[in-house]
Amino acid sequence: MRRPVLLSVLLLLLAGCSTASPDDGRESAGHWQPRPGTAWQWQLSGKLDTSVDVPVYDIDGFDHTGATVAGLHDDGRKVICYLSTGAWEDFRPDAGKFPESVLGEGNGWEGERWLDIRETDVLEPLMAERIDMCRDKGFDAVEPDNMDGYKNDTGFPLTADDQLRYNRLIARLAHDRGMAVGLKNDLDQIPELVDDFDFAVNEQCAQYGECADNKPFVDADKAVFHAEYELPTDRFCAESRELGLSSMRKEYELGVWREAC
């Protein structure tokens, strides 16, 4: 729901790109659900900088301790646990638990290969362990990455139905542990998955002219955390505000640097 113009201007002055106050979120079915416009920081590399004045941090689940999460909570932040759920990473401590049979083609990042998401008998317990880790460290939510393998050359004949089943499985695993969960990219399946997820995380929808595809999340009063890498902010911030997205520019390595709308 769009706020009155004067209030929106005031909030933009106070919170950069955000059109939401720092406590802008609610509990839904026992877990947190962020609202549209909530500002965020996304840092997956380098020494964590906790000084960014935003209410939500999205950080790597393996790389950070429960003490780090607790410190962010003490500062009034909600904390999202980044995990790769659709691709294998050879540098993770549990990499040896994944049988070769579920490892497919590379996904474009060094040391990573797509997973055969049809093999839920193998993958469900492994992903449950990872999400247990997020819960045990005190995270509020999970950002599961590589959730659109069926649209990529994975080495497996994945279908849209395979992807829907797997994505809903990941959402259920998070919800069963009392955490929120975000849909990463997978724009084509948003209409079918918006009810299963509590927010969305999107990369480069402005660059590819796809940001309006996130509208079902905003219409459902759920945040869309959005990052661009190549476009300057003056190329996407106006549209982001109009759509109610939580937008910023980042570098591909997702370090400290950010340029909020």
Side-chain angles (χ1 to χ4, degrees):
M1 182 172 65
R2 195 174 299 173
R3 291 185 172 88
V5 172
L6 289 177
L7 179 57
S8 295
V9 171
L10 176 60
L11 288 169
L12 287 169
L13 289 172
L14 292 173
C17 189
S18 173
T19 58
S21 61
D23 61 348
D24 203 359
R26 61 197 181 282
E27 293 294 318
S28 175
H31 54 265
W32 171 61
Q33 190 175 94
R35 289 192 167 115
T38 303
W40 69 310
Q41 166 64 322
W42 196 16
Q43 186 181 343
L44 302 184
S45 69
K47 180 178 172 58
L48 185 65
D49 180 354
T50 62
S51 67
V52 181
D53 188 16
V54 293
V56 176
Y57 263 69
D58 188 339
I59 62 176
D60 189 279
F62 282 102
D63 290 349
H64 297 287
T65 65
T68 297
V69 177
L72 288 164
H73 283 159
D74 288 344
D75 289 336
R77 277 73 174 266
K78 296 290 189 182
V79 193
I80 300 172
C81 182
Y82 171 88
L83 294 173
S84 183
T85 52
W88 175 79
E89 301 159 305
D90 66 4
F91 50 88
R92 296 302 189 185
D94 63 353
K97 296 181 179 181
F98 291 77
E100 183 69 25
S101 61
V102 302
L103 307 184
E105 298 295 329
N107 71 348
W109 294 92
E110 184 177 356
E112 299 188 24
R113 295 166 66 182
W114 288 105
L115 290 169
D116 187 351
I117 59 170
R118 301 170 300 172
E119 299 297 328
T120 54
D121 288 348
V122 174
L123 295 180
E124 180 174 353
L126 293 170
M127 295 306 158
E129 286 184 13
R130 288 183 166 194
I131 296 173
D132 283 344
M133 174 191 69
C134 296
R135 176 200 61 199
D136 294 345
K137 290 181 178 181
F139 283 93
D140 302 286
V142 177
E143 180 211 334
D145 199 7
N146 297 299
M147 296 283 274
D148 55 358
Y150 83 106
K151 299 279 285 186
N152 291 273
D153 182 12
T154 63
F156 306 112
L158 303 181
T159 67
D161 285 342
D162 293 329
Q163 195 71 59
L164 288 172
R165 281 192 296 271
Y166 188 71
N167 290 2
R168 287 179 174 134
L169 167 63
I170 297 299
R172 176 177 61 78
L173 291 174
H175 287 155
D176 286 351
R177 289 154 178 78
M179 289 183 290
V181 61
L183 181 64
K184 181 69 171 287
N185 297 322
D186 197 18
L187 289 167
D188 290 347
Q189 295 187 327
I190 283 177
E192 294 163 287
L193 291 173
V194 63
D195 291 338
D196 297 282
F197 288 82
D198 305 290
F199 58 92
V201 179
N202 179 270
E203 297 169 291
Q204 297 175 281
C205 67
Q207 182 172 342
Y208 297 106
E210 300 169 334
C211 287
D213 291 347
N214 291 286
K215 190 173 183 294
F217 272 98
V218 177
D219 289 346
D221 202 24
K222 298 176 180 181
V224 177
F225 297 120
H226 164 230
E228 293 290 330
Y229 304 114
E230 299 182 14
L231 296 182
T233 52
D234 62 9
R235 292 274 303 278
F236 65 89
C237 284
E239 180 189 26
S240 291
R241 294 190 186 103
E242 179 70 20
L243 291 171
L245 310 186
S246 303
S247 299
M248 60 183 172
R249 186 178 181 188
K250 294 287 292 185
E251 296 170 335
Y252 278 110
E253 63 267 26
L254 293 173
V256 175
W257 184 85
R258 70 193 286 275
E259 184 179 2
C261 287

